[in-house]
């Protein structure tokens, strides 16, 4: 390289989420998303560290400050700070519909995939995405879209 770094950042390895009660929050993430502890609970640091399926860590960090993990974009839409990539988005969506997890707007974002938004116990907003056109055959994409979007019409 000629002194200029190119694409030096490889991946996100840890995500930090403000929560009121890390143990209660961890239980919620385990029940709703199947996450497991990455390391034992660290009471001194007042955080739980869970592991995503590809190895990244989700830190649930206790705070007493107001929790506001969202921000408005220029148009005024309340943005989320991160999007989780998933496979079989319809399975997760169907599962979460049977729980007390708050879910917003299932969307077909075309080449960006299918997304929906959910909120954790502390009101932190997260996005979920599957690029179905990349990971599935055209026939599978059609089935997923019929399953997810035709059931909304009922």
């Amino acid at each position: 390289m000629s002194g200029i770094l190119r694409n030096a950042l490889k991946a996100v390895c840890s995500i930090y989420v403000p929560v009121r009660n890390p143990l209660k929050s961890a239980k919620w993430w385990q029940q709703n998303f199947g996450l497991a502890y990455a390391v034992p609970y660290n009471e001194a640091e007042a955080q739980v560290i869970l592991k995503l399926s590809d190895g990244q860590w989700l830190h649930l960090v206790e705070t007493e400050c107001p929790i506001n993990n969202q921000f408005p974009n220029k148009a005024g839409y309340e943005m989320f700070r991160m999007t989780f990539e998933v496979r079989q988005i319809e399975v997760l969506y169907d599962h979460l519909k049977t729980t007390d997890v708050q879910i917003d707007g299932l969307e077909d974002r075309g080449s960006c995939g299918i997304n929906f938004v959910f909120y954790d116990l502390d009101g932190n907003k997260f996005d979920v995405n599957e690029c179905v056109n990349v990971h599935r055959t055209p026939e599978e994409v059609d089935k997923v879209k019929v399953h997810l979007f035709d059931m909304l019409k009922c």
Side-chain angles (χ1 to χ4, degrees), residues 4-65:
I4 299 173
L5 290 178
R6 297 189 197 283
N7 210 5
L9 302 177
K10 180 182 175 183
V12 174
C13 64
S14 293
I15 302 162
Y16 296 82
V17 177
V19 299
R20 295 275 175 246
N21 183 324
L23 291 172
K24 184 177 178 183
S25 186
K27 184 176 180 182
W28 183 88
W29 284 93
Q30 288 175 311
Q31 289 174 337
N32 293 299
F33 299 93
L35 302 186
Y37 278 74
V39 297
Y41 173 62
N42 184 335
E43 188 172 352
E45 292 183 7
Q47 70 173 308
V48 168
I49 304 173
L50 303 174
K51 188 189 313 188
L52 303 181
S53 65
D54 278 353
Q56 301 87 353
W57 285 9
L58 180 68
H59 296 250
L60 306 173
V61 182
E62 186 173 350
T63 185
E64 293 178 355
C65 294

Side-chain angles (χ1 to χ4, degrees), residues 15-140:
I15 302 162
Y16 296 82
V17 177
V19 299
R20 295 275 175 246
N21 183 324
L23 291 172
K24 184 177 178 183
S25 186
K27 184 176 180 182
W28 183 88
W29 284 93
Q30 288 175 311
Q31 289 174 337
N32 293 299
F33 299 93
L35 302 186
Y37 278 74
V39 297
Y41 173 62
N42 184 335
E43 188 172 352
E45 292 183 7
Q47 70 173 308
V48 168
I49 304 173
L50 303 174
K51 188 189 313 188
L52 303 181
S53 65
D54 278 353
Q56 301 87 353
W57 285 9
L58 180 68
H59 296 250
L60 306 173
V61 182
E62 186 173 350
T63 185
E64 293 178 355
C65 294
I67 294 174
N68 186 5
N69 208 26
Q70 292 77 256
F71 62 94
N73 68 10
K74 189 174 179 179
Y77 175 75
E78 185 179 76
M79 291 295 300
F80 36 83
R81 296 222 182 237
M82 75 186 82
T83 298
F84 291 102
E85 180 181 356
V86 298
R87 296 292 183 273
Q88 296 184 317
I89 194 167
E90 72 278 14
V91 173
L92 178 59
Y93 186 79
D94 289 349
H95 166 71
L96 293 179
K97 293 295 280 184
T98 67
T99 69
D100 62 351
V101 175
Q102 181 185 346
I103 300 172
D104 285 350
L106 185 61
E107 292 183 55
D108 182 351
R109 295 183 184 160
S111 63
C112 291
I114 297 174
N115 295 62
F116 67 88
V117 167
F118 72 91
Y119 299 82
D120 72 3
L121 292 174
D122 293 285
N124 292 303
K125 186 177 185 178
F126 301 95
D127 187 48
V128 173
N129 170 267
E130 181 180 357
C131 292
V132 291
N133 294 335
V134 173
H135 302 290
R136 301 192 192 206
T137 67
E139 296 78 20
E140 292 171 326

